[in-house]
Amino acid sequence: MAESIVTFFLEKLTDLLSQEAFLLSRVHEQVKLLSNELEWMRLFLKDADAKRRYDPRIKLWVSQIRDVTYDAEDVIDRFMFEMNHQQQGSLKCLKFLKLRFVHKLESRIREINIKIEKIMANKSRYGVETLPAASSSNEVVPQKEKRVPIVEEVNVVGIREGAKSVKQMLLNGERRRAVVSIVGMGGLGKTTLAKKVYNDNDVQQYFDCHAWIYVSQEYTIRELLLGIADYVMVLSQKQKSQMNESELGNRLRDYLTTKKYLIVMDDIWRNEAWDRLSLYVPDSMNGSRVLITSRNKEIGFHADPQTIPHELPFLTEEESWELFLKKIFLAGSANAVCPRELEELGKKIVANCGGLPLAIVVLGGLLSRKEKTPLAWQKVLDSLTWHLNQGPDSCLGVLALSYNDMPYYLKSCFLYCGLFPEDSEIRTDKLIRLWVAEGFIQRRGKEIVEDVAEDHLQELVHRSMIQVADKSFDGRVMSCRMHDLLRDLAISEAKDTKFFEGYESIDSTSPGSVRRLTIHQGKKTNSEHLHSSRLRSFICFSECFQENILRSLYRGVKLLTVLDLEGMDIYTLPEGIGELIHLKYLCLRRTRIERLPSSIGHLINLQTLDFRGTLIEMIPSTIWKLHHLRHLYGHGVVSRQSVIDKCVNGPLGVDHLTALQSLSLRAGSWCSAEGLGKLTQLRELKIRWTEIPQIMCKGFSESVEKLTALRSLYLYTTDGEETLVMPQLMPFLHHTHLYHVRLGGKLEKFPNQIEFYPPNLIQLELEYCNIEQDPMVTLEKLPNLRILQLLYSSYMGKKMVCSSGGFQRLETLKLKGLKELRELIVEEGAVPDLKVSIIASCRKMATLPRGLLQLENLQYLELFQLSHKLTEEVNQTEGKDWDKIRLITSILQ
């Protein structure tokens, strides 16, 4: 880990020397000496990092290197802060102050260089000199490589019989609400088994509704109840926010009383969690089931004394070898074969995993990155043997080996995932933006750093260090999870290396050493712990956050890089936020803040600003000063620049933000001129359109035509009850990367020319468009369309036809809120790849399209709030095709 810290700081130092050459010219010699010394230290750190856990001399030496690197970073960042602070004030004594600050910086760096000399001398004096210097192979981030597609980690080795047994327990016909439990130690595959059974077609069809929640050690009953309700009920955001635990639980219980339900409660640790949840899962004597997973067999007996828990055994030698081969050779194939010269070594490696699936998969992920040679595998076996000899826990030894084998640029990314609450689903777009803000992602040629970060994410998945939770329509990872054993490893390593601390584990005697601080659900915060001069990142997941804590934070901590307050119950953002000039990531999402202070324009290094879901309606024009901004998410109107500000700073506009990749705002004069068209790196554009002159619409359309890097475009014009006319758009012929388009508003004319649409369009969503002619005539010709959603008055006609040969690649079709639609015809040969079809709130539809009965690939059909005649037809019509369609149909009212 120290290798990562030193490497990232060296890159930061190089950037600073090039950007602030004039300012740092007087201390260039000392800074250069610092850089050279740290470069030498870095060469010895890779091997030392792995061995420091078991050798106190190495551990002390590594910790001293880490601390002196942090000292150097703090000194330089504090110098930049003080210089910027003075520039905001009087200019009369600026030259004198600059000289004073530069002299102070030179003195501090000289002290640090002397300290480094002593650390290097101690390496020899106390017998740490045997550490070899690492080769230079890991000094740079490797070029992007072609990876095999990410597939869901559902290796079913060793659980086939278990799946049959658990499935039988769910479907055994017993009328009472039974609780089936899967128990076993961490890493045995309890969740994998539960997922396999939960997703089984027979299980899905047997129950009226299904839900899956992650309980873990940190939970609130209300959040768990909301998780269940999101699966089985339709509640508005207002209803969710207003109901307390009891009201929500009673509402859920009343709903479930009439349903035969299956609810999975994954990773329960205490009886109390079941006792409180069980109050809201009724026994209506209709065959409902609850499936729980736990490490504790007693919880299973406590929840249901009449049902014997299913205990997961360790894998046999043959099963372990099969899983190992699947992970390394031909992932996902049943024909994985190990070269003969590697077989003996491979079996010795697998034997050390003790039949634990997690250890085998993680170790397989490590070996999949190595050369398939006896020498490479022998090195892994030797290293594994060494790790296991240091402690009794074979699983943690395997996981530690896999962590230590990571290149330096992955270690920080992996540890950072441990910041998030246990069993939480981590949004990868947020995770990537945090990695970039923290400085973990190094440039790689001309690639955009977010793309490099996404490649790191994929590498962690392929190494099985994190798990895919959800994927997008184009196969990219949308969210991920961390197995709790791997999270335990990350937290242990992070605490040992002072990488981050959880608030509850801070040593009250030395809060000043905390560099990154995370607060989880239900943890109340004491402002005394937020005065660390070293604190760089503050990420809060607790609604117990208080506004005085925020004021204490910005007063006492001036070097913050990351401030994440998403979902916190705060109402104001202090004007002093502008003093945090090192801030790169500021998230205010889903807070109750009503205004952004004008000082936001002083955050010259800010990369991400997210205030979606707040009460902010007016945005200060100083936001256009944030030249480094890469992601801007909000929904307010940008105020006009004052005359005085124009005189001081010159005209400001969106054209200043040329680094933007994501932009979400309400339309205004800023998007009608040429400025928007200059954002050539923009990938995601979301604009809420308002009633503005037609000439401004024309300027907007011309600008969008120039944004050829776009991947996602979302324009909507709904304003309360009124739906406005969408600005007329130019053809998207040259937008070859534009995969997702969503339009919400009236169209003057429906574009019926294929040339209008992006050539590689995958997902199209239309709502409130008031189209009068059948849109299927045009849309069915789009060659790459896979997801089509026509929602809420997007089509005003009575009949739609999917003609023969149309929609050759369409996989998902959703029709919702088409009030006039009476008939949908699916001709033979249309939509051959359709897998999912959802028809909702189309009450005038009287019959189910007969063409759906003939689709061989259709896996799921959802019918929601439709006419009684249609649902009766589906439920009662006899025939082989109707029997088949009923097996995959979910009818909700």
Side-chain angles (χ1 to χ4, degrees):
M1 189 60 223
E3 180 191 16
S4 308
I5 294 168
V6 172
T7 303
F8 296 143
F9 174 65
L10 284 172
E11 183 180 18
K12 180 176 181 178
L13 198 57
T14 302
D15 289 345
L16 193 62
L17 283 171
S18 62
Q19 294 169 12
E20 305 289 347
F22 175 76
L23 199 58
L24 298 176
S25 59
R26 297 176 65 89
V27 293
H28 184 272
E29 184 178 337
Q30 288 297 324
V31 173
K32 194 64 180 174
L33 177 61
L34 171 64
S35 178
N36 289 340
E37 290 290 345
L38 288 175
E39 190 67 58
W40 272 106
M41 282 183 163
R42 190 175 73 86
L43 295 176
F44 292 92
L45 283 173
K46 181 175 175 61
D47 193 62
D49 258 341
K51 295 184 177 180
R52 65 176 167 74
R53 281 182 171 271
Y54 314 111
D55 189 324
R57 297 171 304 164
I58 296 176
K59 182 175 183 177
L60 177 62
W61 186 72
V62 169
S63 68
Q64 288 176 343
I65 294 176
R66 179 195 63 231
D67 290 344
V68 79
T69 304
Y70 282 157
D71 286 343
E73 184 177 24
D74 291 344
V75 164
I76 290 174
D77 282 352
R78 196 166 289 111
F79 167 75
M80 298 304 298
F81 170 81
E82 290 171 344
M83 291 299 297
N84 181 271
H85 187 64
Q86 291 301 324
Q87 287 172 358
Q88 302 295 329
S90 171
L91 298 177
K92 293 182 180 178
C93 55
L94 187 57
K95 186 174 181 181
F96 167 75
L97 288 171
K98 274 188 178 180
L99 290 174
R100 194 183 81 179
F101 287 139
V102 169
H103 177 73
K104 182 180 176 182
L105 175 66
E106 184 178 23
S107 175
R108 290 289 289 117
I109 293 181
R110 184 177 283 109
E111 290 174 8
I112 289 171
N113 283 331
I114 292 172
K115 190 182 293 186
I116 289 175
E117 284 185 26
K118 291 180 179 179
I119 293 172
M120 291 301 283
N122 286 341
K123 178 174 175 290
S124 301
R125 183 181 303 167
Y126 298 111
V128 193
E129 72 279 2
T130 55
L131 283 173
S135 67
S136 60
S137 61
N138 273 334
E139 289 188 13
V140 295
V141 181
Q143 292 300 307
K144 184 177 180 68
E145 59 185 271
K146 185 175 181 180
R147 300 192 189 282
V148 298
I150 293 176
V151 294
E152 191 176 353
E153 193 78 68
V154 187
N155 285 304
V156 295
V157 174
I159 66 172
R160 297 184 187 92
E161 292 304 316
K164 289 180 183 178
S165 175
V166 173
K167 177 179 173 181
Q168 177 59 33
M169 295 166 78
L170 295 177
L171 309 182
N172 63 7
E174 191 176 5
R175 303 296 297 173
R176 72 180 184 91
R177 183 214 63 197
V179 180
V180 178
S181 54
I182 303 172
V183 299
M185 71 169 287
L188 271 176
K190 298 183 293 297
T191 300
T192 300
L193 173 57
K195 279 184 178 178
K196 179 174 174 58
V197 175
Y198 179 81
N199 291 321
D200 183 271
N201 283 335
D202 294 337
V203 173
Q204 286 288 310
Q205 294 306 315
Y206 184 78
F207 297 97
D208 298 329
C209 56
H210 320 77
W212 183 299
I213 55 172
Y214 293 90
V215 182
S216 73
Q217 297 184 73
E218 295 181 3
Y219 63 87
T220 66
I221 296 298
R222 185 177 181 278
E223 288 299 317
L224 295 176
L225 293 174
L226 275 175
I228 298 173
D230 283 341
Y231 274 95
V232 302
M233 301 170 62
V234 179
L235 295 175
S236 67
Q237 284 301 123
K238 185 177 181 180
Q239 289 174 312
K240 292 179 183 179
S241 62
Q242 290 180 345
M243 285 191 287
N244 59 29
E245 176 189 317
S246 178
E247 292 168 336
L248 179 61
N250 292 337
R251 178 80 173 269
L252 179 63
R253 182 181 58 224
D254 291 344
Y255 180 85
L256 292 176
T257 298
T258 62
K259 304 291 182 182
K260 182 163 65 174
Y261 59 82
L262 169 64
I263 298 175
V264 179
M265 300 178 182
D266 191 22
D267 197 22
I268 292 186
W269 284 72
R270 294 188 294 274
N271 288 337
E272 178 201 7
W274 166 253
D275 291 340
R276 294 182 63 186
L277 285 169
S278 65
L279 298 175
Y280 306 112
V281 285
D283 186 357
S284 300
M285 298 300 291
N286 61 359
S288 292
R289 295 287 184 270
V290 177
L291 176 61
I292 68 174
T293 71
S294 178
R295 297 188 187 188
N296 187 349
K297 189 199 303 185
E298 295 305 314
I299 292 177
F301 280 120
H302 175 79
D304 188 343
Q306 299 180 51
T307 304
I308 299 175
H310 177 82
E311 291 190 66
L312 274 182
F314 289 93
L315 296 183
T316 65
E317 186 177 330
E318 292 76 18
E319 291 168 339
S320 297
W321 182 242
E322 181 185 350
L323 179 58
F324 180 74
L325 294 184
K326 280 192 173 185
K327 183 63 187 176
I328 300 178
F329 304 101
L330 302 175
S333 168
N335 300 315
V337 178
C338 179
R340 184 174 299 175
E341 66 272 17
L342 296 176
E343 189 168 329
E344 183 179 353
L345 282 170
K347 289 186 175 180
K348 288 181 180 178
I349 291 171
V350 172
N352 282 294
C353 295
L356 196 66
L358 176 66
I360 296 168
V361 168
V362 169
L363 195 56
L366 183 157
L367 282 166
S368 70
R369 310 287 305 164
K370 301 289 186 184
E371 292 182 4
K372 306 297 189 294
T373 64
L375 179 61
W377 282 32
Q378 183 64 54
K379 285 183 178 179
V380 170
L381 178 60
D382 293 343
S383 184
L384 178 61
T385 303
W386 181 83
H387 272 82
L388 295 178
N389 286 338
Q390 308 307 312
D393 194 322
S394 62
C395 181
L396 285 180
V398 171
L399 302 185
L401 168 63
S402 299
Y403 168 76
N404 287 321
D405 181 74
M406 287 184 190
Y408 72 86
Y409 59 85
L410 277 188
K411 287 181 177 177
S412 297
C413 295
F414 168 74
L415 294 187
Y416 207 80
C417 296
L419 274 166
F420 292 83
E422 184 182 9
D423 279 333
S424 63
E425 192 167 319
I426 306 169
R427 299 195 310 269
T428 54
D429 57 347
K430 175 173 183 168
L431 182 63
I432 284 172
R433 290 194 291 269
L434 284 166
W435 284 349
V436 172
E438 292 279 7
F440 300 156
I441 311 301
Q442 294 179 283
R443 289 183 298 273
R444 190 167 63 184
K446 294 183 178 180
E447 277 190 81
I448 292 175
V449 288
E450 284 82 358
D451 289 345
V452 179
E454 189 168 6
D455 201 42
H456 291 357
L457 177 73
Q458 289 184 348
E459 187 170 348
L460 286 172
V461 171
H462 282 290
R463 287 174 175 267
S464 295
M465 301 303 282
I466 59 174
Q467 301 165 343
V468 176
D470 189 27
K471 291 186 288 186
S472 67
F473 58 86
D474 57 356
R476 296 170 61 217
V477 180
M478 296 295 289
S479 60
C480 60
R481 274 197 170 86
M482 202 175 202
H483 192 283
D484 48 5
L485 287 181
L486 286 164
R487 183 173 177 269
D488 289 345
L489 172 67
I491 291 173
S492 172
E493 183 70 17
K495 188 174 178 64
D496 193 49
T497 60
K498 298 182 181 178
F499 182 75
F500 72 75
E501 287 274 9
Y503 172 77
E504 62 277 8
S505 62
I506 296 176
D507 184 351
S508 59
T509 62
S510 57
S513 65
V514 178
R515 204 155 188 87
R516 295 179 184 88
L517 178 62
T518 179
I519 300 176
H520 290 172
Q521 189 69 40
K523 305 296 182 183
K524 290 189 177 293
T525 319
N526 187 337
S527 61
E528 293 179 4
H529 290 141
L530 302 178
H531 290 158
S532 168
S533 60
R534 280 190 158 178
L535 188 64
R536 297 307 182 98
S537 302
F538 182 77
I539 302 178
C540 192
F541 300 96
S542 172
E543 295 179 3
C544 297
F545 191 82
Q546 304 151 342
E547 289 206 43
N548 66 303
I549 301 298
L550 182 58
R551 286 190 288 272
S552 173
L553 192 65
Y554 86 77
R555 278 200 302 266
V557 184
K558 300 299 185 182
L559 305 182
L560 269 183
T561 300
V562 169
L563 181 57
D564 187 352
L565 305 173
E566 180 173 348
M568 302 303 101
D569 191 22
I570 55 177
Y571 292 80
T572 58
L573 190 66
E575 191 73 30
I577 192 74
E579 295 183 16
L580 305 179
I581 64 160
H582 291 290
L583 202 61
K584 293 184 177 181
Y585 183 97
L586 176 59
C587 182
L588 309 171
R589 190 174 183 179
R590 295 188 297 106
T591 63
R592 302 187 184 186
I593 292 174
E594 297 182 356
R595 63 177 290 271
L596 285 176
S598 59
S599 64
I600 201 82
H602 296 157
L603 302 179
I604 55 177
N605 292 301
L606 197 64
Q607 297 174 353
T608 296
L609 175 59
D610 188 348
F611 53 96
R612 288 171 287 185
T614 65
L615 302 176
I616 297 169
E617 292 294 334
M618 188 61 68
I619 306 166
S621 61
T622 52
I623 201 170
W624 303 134
K625 294 181 181 180
L626 305 178
H627 300 272
H628 292 286
L629 208 57
R630 305 173 72 83
H631 308 280
L632 173 57
Y633 297 106
H635 56 78
V637 176
V638 181
S639 63
R640 291 187 178 276
Q641 189 180 8
S642 68
V643 175
I644 295 176
D645 194 43
K646 279 186 179 180
C647 294
V648 175
N649 297 301
L652 295 175
V654 71
D655 55 309
H656 286 67
L657 309 185
T658 54
L660 270 183
Q661 295 180 42
S662 309
L663 175 59
S664 174
L665 283 179
R666 188 183 298 176
S669 58
W670 62 270
C671 65
S672 60
E674 297 179 354
L676 180 61
K678 295 180 180 179
L679 308 185
T680 55
Q681 295 188 48
L682 202 62
R683 294 181 168 191
E684 178 185 0
L685 178 61
K686 179 179 179 180
I687 294 183
R688 178 182 173 186
W689 206 255
T690 52
E691 191 73 76
I692 60 177
Q694 188 63 34
I695 188 171
M696 295 174 68
C697 296
K698 186 173 185 294
F700 171 75
S701 299
E702 291 173 349
S703 293
V704 171
E705 188 179 21
K706 299 174 184 176
L707 304 178
T708 55
L710 277 179
R711 294 181 176 182
S712 175
L713 175 65
Y714 179 15
L715 305 178
Y716 63 112
T717 64
T718 51
D719 187 9
E721 296 297 320
E722 184 181 7
T723 300
L724 307 175
V725 176
M726 185 80 63
Q728 192 167 353
L729 296 170
M730 305 285 191
F732 293 99
L733 188 63
H734 301 294
H735 291 69
T736 56
H737 303 289
L738 185 52
Y739 306 123
H740 182 195
V741 173
R742 182 175 181 181
L743 303 178
K746 294 178 182 177
L747 296 177
E748 286 188 349
K749 181 183 178 183
F750 175 68
N752 53 17
Q753 300 295 320
I754 297 300
E755 293 74 21
F756 171 83
Y757 298 90
N760 297 310
L761 185 63
I762 293 176
Q763 181 169 352
L764 176 63
E765 300 166 54
L766 302 176
E767 54 186 333
Y768 302 111
C769 296
N770 291 8
I771 302 168
E772 295 184 357
Q773 69 268 37
D774 184 357
M776 300 304 200
V777 176
T778 301
L779 301 181
E780 68 182 8
K781 298 183 179 71
L782 298 179
N784 296 299
L785 193 64
R786 297 181 189 175
I787 301 174
L788 175 61
Q789 298 189 33
L790 301 178
L791 315 170
Y792 305 112
S793 303
S794 57
Y795 175 53
M796 306 303 291
K798 298 179 180 180
K799 179 180 179 180
M800 284 197 301
V801 179
C802 300
S803 60
S804 179
F807 292 117
Q808 284 297 296
R809 301 188 69 182
L810 194 69
E811 297 178 1
T812 298
L813 175 62
K814 181 175 182 178
L815 308 176
K816 184 175 183 180
L818 307 184
K819 297 179 181 179
E820 301 302 321
L821 184 64
R822 298 174 183 270
E823 184 178 16
L824 172 65
I825 297 175
V826 180
E827 295 182 354
E828 186 177 353
V831 290
D833 287 340
L834 193 67
K835 295 180 174 64
V836 176
S837 181
I838 300 172
I839 304 175
S841 303
C842 301
R843 295 187 180 275
K844 291 187 178 181
M845 281 189 66
T847 61
L848 189 72
R850 295 298 185 268
L852 292 180
L853 303 179
Q854 311 302 323
L855 298 179
E856 295 182 358
N857 293 313
L858 189 63
Q859 300 172 3
Y860 179 72
L861 173 62
E862 181 179 305
L863 306 176
F864 177 63
Q865 291 185 345
L866 299 178
S867 68
H868 177 71
K869 183 178 180 181
L870 190 151
T871 55
E872 191 175 68
E873 175 189 49
V874 174
N875 285 326
Q876 298 181 9
T877 306
E878 296 182 358
K880 186 177 180 182
D881 290 337
W882 287 99
D883 291 340
K884 176 185 173 184
I885 206 74
R886 274 190 286 270
L887 289 175
I888 61 170
T889 300
S890 175
I891 300 178
L892 305 172
Q893 295 298 333

